[in-house]
């Protein structure tokens, strides 16, 4: 909305001082022409914004001008800024809204706290682009237009139609009643029902989406935590293999990069860890545990133990007779 944009422009000028029309356009994701119109609107409304001409010119506010916004304590503002510094800002396509909100938070701080806020927030980092092992932690992003339509449909309570590319299935259209959005481990899911049946979709697999005018068939109130837990439990129990194993704690991270889910975990008397995890299938489980060498022991199911033992015996037989080496 234009009113929100005008407030954001005032806050930007208050916090950064002089800015060019091009800089304002980039920050607010609008055209330079729109910036010039907004500057005129602010002046007409009595906001003391003025232009400096020349090579180093730009737009500024008269010193001392302050928007009337509710104040926050330093700790409250720092908590909000830190939470907004991670990937959550991109999860539902709300990065622009978050940037605008953060500008308001900074401006709302008492004068004596504002000076130290930038330094404090710069010392706290949530979810960087890669971990210490250089493994990427990028969010699975859906097209911006898709995310916007899905979010609008969820919030308005209207039905949603989208083109979906599921793994190992043909691309097809789906019309659903959206319930809510969940982001976990850098993936965003749409929880919905389709002709009354529970369905869960990954936004990154949606190619096109459109909000429909028809109201969604869904309850007025929703407990998203409960619904997600129920669907997660159901998902883990269908089409996967459950494995119990012992593992050296120094290799726990290596194992978890290959499992579908961790169902239980407890310490062992010898310092190792007992885990109950799920894999795609027996072949996947054998491969993942084999990578851990002697740092892990599969306890069940018996067919997995047999499969690993047979593979070990085959390798032993291949390498035990030195006379066959070339």
């Amino acid at each position: 909305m234009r009113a929100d944009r005008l407030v954001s422009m005032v806050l930007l000028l208050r916090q950064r001082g002089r800015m060019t029309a091009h800089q304002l356009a980039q920050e607010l994701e609008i055209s330079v022409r729109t910036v010039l119109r907004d500057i005129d609107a602010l002046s007409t409304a009595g906001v003391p914004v003025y232009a400096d001409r020349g090579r180093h010119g730009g737009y500024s506010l008269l010193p001392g001008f302050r928007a009337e916004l509710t104040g926050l304590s330093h700790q409250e503002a720092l908590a909000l800024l830190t939470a907004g510094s991670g990937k959550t800002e991109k999860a539902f396509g709300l990065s622009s809204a978050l940037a605008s909100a953060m500008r308001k938070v900074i401006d709302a701080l008492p004068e004596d706290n504002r000076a130290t806020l930038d330094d404090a927030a710069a010392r706290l980092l949530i979810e960087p682009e890669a971990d210490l092992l250089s493994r990427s932690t990028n969010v699975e992003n859906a097209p911006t237009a898709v995310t916007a339509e899905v979010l609008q449909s969820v919030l308005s309570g209207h039905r949603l139609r989208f083109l979906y590319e599921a793994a190992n299935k043909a691309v097809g259209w789906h019309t659903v009643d959206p319930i809510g959005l969940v982001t976990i481990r850098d993936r965003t899911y749409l929880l919905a029902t389709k002709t009354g049946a529970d369905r869960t979709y990954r936004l990154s697999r949606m190619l096109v989406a459109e909000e429909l005018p028809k109201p969604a068939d869904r309850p007025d109130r929703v407990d998203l935590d409960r619904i997600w837990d129920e669907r997660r439990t159901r998902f883990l129990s269908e089409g996967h293999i459950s494995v119990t194993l012992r593992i050296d704690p120094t290799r726990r991270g290596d194992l978890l990069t290959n499992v579908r889910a961790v169902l239980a975990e407890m310490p062992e008397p010898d310092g190792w860890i007992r885990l109950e995890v799920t894999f795609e299938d027996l072949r996947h489980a054998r491969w993942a545990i084999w990578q851990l060498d002697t740092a892990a022991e599969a306890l069940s199911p018996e067919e997995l133990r047999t499969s690993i033992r047979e593979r070990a015996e085959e390798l032993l037989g291949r390498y035990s007779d030195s006379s066959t080496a070339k």
Side-chain angles (χ1 to χ4, degrees), residues 185 245 254-262 277-279 284 288:
R185 291 188 179 178
L245 56 85
D254 297 329
L255 172 71
L256 297 190
T257 60
N258 294 313
V259 304
R260 291 301 302 267
V262 177
V277 298
T278 60
F279 291 97
H284 181 211

Side-chain angles (χ1 to χ4, degrees), residues 67-78:
E68 293 297 327
L69 295 173
T70 302
L72 294 174
S73 71
H74 185 275
Q75 288 297 101
E76 290 170 337
L78 181 59

Side-chain angles (χ1 to χ4, degrees), residues 6 49 61 73 143 146 154-155 167 178 211 221 233 237 242 245 278 320:
L6 293 175
V49 57
L61 294 171
S73 71
V146 168
V154 169
L155 298 181
E211 178 191 7
R221 295 184 177 275
T233 302
S237 65
S242 178
L245 56 85
T278 60
S320 60

Side-chain angles (χ1 to χ4, degrees), residues 144-166:
T144 301
V146 168
T147 302
E149 286 293 311
V150 174
L151 180 61
Q152 179 59 30
S153 180
V154 169
L155 298 181
S156 67
H158 289 171
R159 283 192 170 177
L160 179 71
R161 182 172 181 263
F162 54 87
L163 187 63
Y164 196 71
E165 187 176 24

Side-chain angles (χ1 to χ4, degrees), residues 177-192:
D177 297 303
I179 295 174
L181 289 167
V182 175
T183 293
I184 185 169
R185 291 188 179 178
D186 305 330
R187 292 178 179 175
T188 301
Y189 299 88
L190 170 68
L191 274 56

Side-chain angles (χ1 to χ4, degrees), residues 90-101:
K90 301 178 182 178
F92 303 125
L94 297 174
S95 57
S96 296
L98 181 65
S100 175

